[in-house]
């Protein structure tokens, strides 16, 4: 999914657009599977009871609430988080109902670093640290292909300064 061109300034082009690494949705998917398994088991247990329709309704409501809170919300949050590098700036947009964003102009970036643990290296993700004119460096967790993003961002910095 490309980043919307109408949000860019004139002459600006998207160099890279990523969502956080897929590892962020592993736990929500496991929660979904667990809720379905436990819900199915409990539905089978109360099947023979005289109050089964009410128990099934209560189980369905509880299961839906758990799935929405612990699966749907995190997956939508993951999908609506954008990490974008353009020819002029780095943009991060997060949020569903209320949006939050940060823009870092290329000319204000002082240094770019990355770090990743052994587990993150296996998965191909890591943390990107951008030091700009602000007080503290900005850290972006779970960036997929963090080494490639680092190299590409460094190249864009060199192109901007040239």
């Amino acid at each position: 999914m490309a980043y919307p061109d109408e949000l860019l300034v004139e002459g600006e082009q998207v160099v890279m657009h990523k969502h956080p690494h897929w590892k962020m949705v592993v736990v929500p998917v496991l929660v979904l599977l667990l809720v379905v398994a436990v819900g199915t088991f409990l539905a089978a247990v109360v099947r023979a009871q005289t109050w089964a329709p009410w128990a099934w309704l209560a189980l369905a409501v509880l299961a839906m609430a758990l799935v929405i809170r612990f699966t749907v919300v995190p997956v939508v949050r993951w999908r609506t988080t954008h990490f974008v590098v353009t020819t002029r700036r780095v943009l991060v947009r997060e949020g569903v109902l209320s949006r939050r964003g940060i823009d870092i102009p290329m000319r204000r970036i002082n240094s770019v670093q990355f770090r990743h643990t052994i587990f993150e290296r296996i998965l191909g993700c890591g943390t990107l640290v951008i030091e700009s004119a602000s007080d503290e460096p900005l850290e972006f967790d779970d960036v997929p292909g963090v080494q490639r993003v680092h190299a590409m961002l460094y190249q864009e910095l060199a192109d901007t300064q040239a």
Side-chain angles (χ1 to χ4, degrees), residues 35-46 59:
V35 167
V36 168
V38 171
T40 302
F41 173 75
L42 291 176
V45 167
V46 299
L59 281 172

Side-chain angles (χ1 to χ4, degrees), residues 77-128:
R77 185 177 299 129
W78 169 79
R79 188 69 183 131
T80 58
T81 299
H82 302 272
F83 183 81
V84 182
V85 177
T86 71
T87 52
R88 295 186 182 180
R89 57 190 168 151
V90 175
L91 300 97
V92 177
R93 298 289 184 265
E94 300 174 321
V96 180
L97 299 176
S98 63
R99 300 281 293 166
R100 185 178 80 142
I102 185 169
D103 295 2
I104 308 167
M106 288 289 184
R107 66 182 182 280
R108 304 262 324 253
I109 296 176
N110 296 331
S111 69
V112 181
Q113 304 170 18
F114 72 91
R115 65 175 178 265
H116 47 193
T117 63
I118 291 174
F119 181 67
E120 289 174 328
R121 288 179 70 184
I122 292 169
L123 293 177
C125 64
T127 300
L128 188 69

Side-chain angles (χ1 to χ4, degrees), residues 2-36:
Y3 194 73
D5 288 335
E6 66 267 8
L7 299 178
L8 303 176
V9 298
E10 187 176 327
E12 186 177 26
Q13 297 176 348
V14 173
V15 177
M16 182 211 61
H17 174 218
K18 292 186 179 276
H19 294 284
H21 195 266
W22 57 264
K23 77 175 187 176
M24 289 184 67
V25 296
V26 169
V27 171
V29 169
L30 292 176
V31 167
L32 173 67
L33 296 174
L34 182 67
V35 167
V36 168

Side-chain angles (χ1 to χ4, degrees), residues 83 90 104 109-116 126-132 134 136-143 146-147 149-150 153-154 157:
F83 183 81
V90 175
I104 308 167
I109 296 176
N110 296 331
S111 69
V112 181
Q113 304 170 18
F114 72 91
R115 65 175 178 265
H116 47 193
T127 300
L128 188 69
V129 181
I130 298 177
E131 186 178 320
S132 65
S134 66
E136 295 181 20
L138 300 169
E139 295 189 8
F140 304 103
D141 297 324
D142 299 320
V143 176
V146 71
Q147 284 182 291
V149 173
H150 174 265
L153 192 52
Y154 186 78
L157 282 171

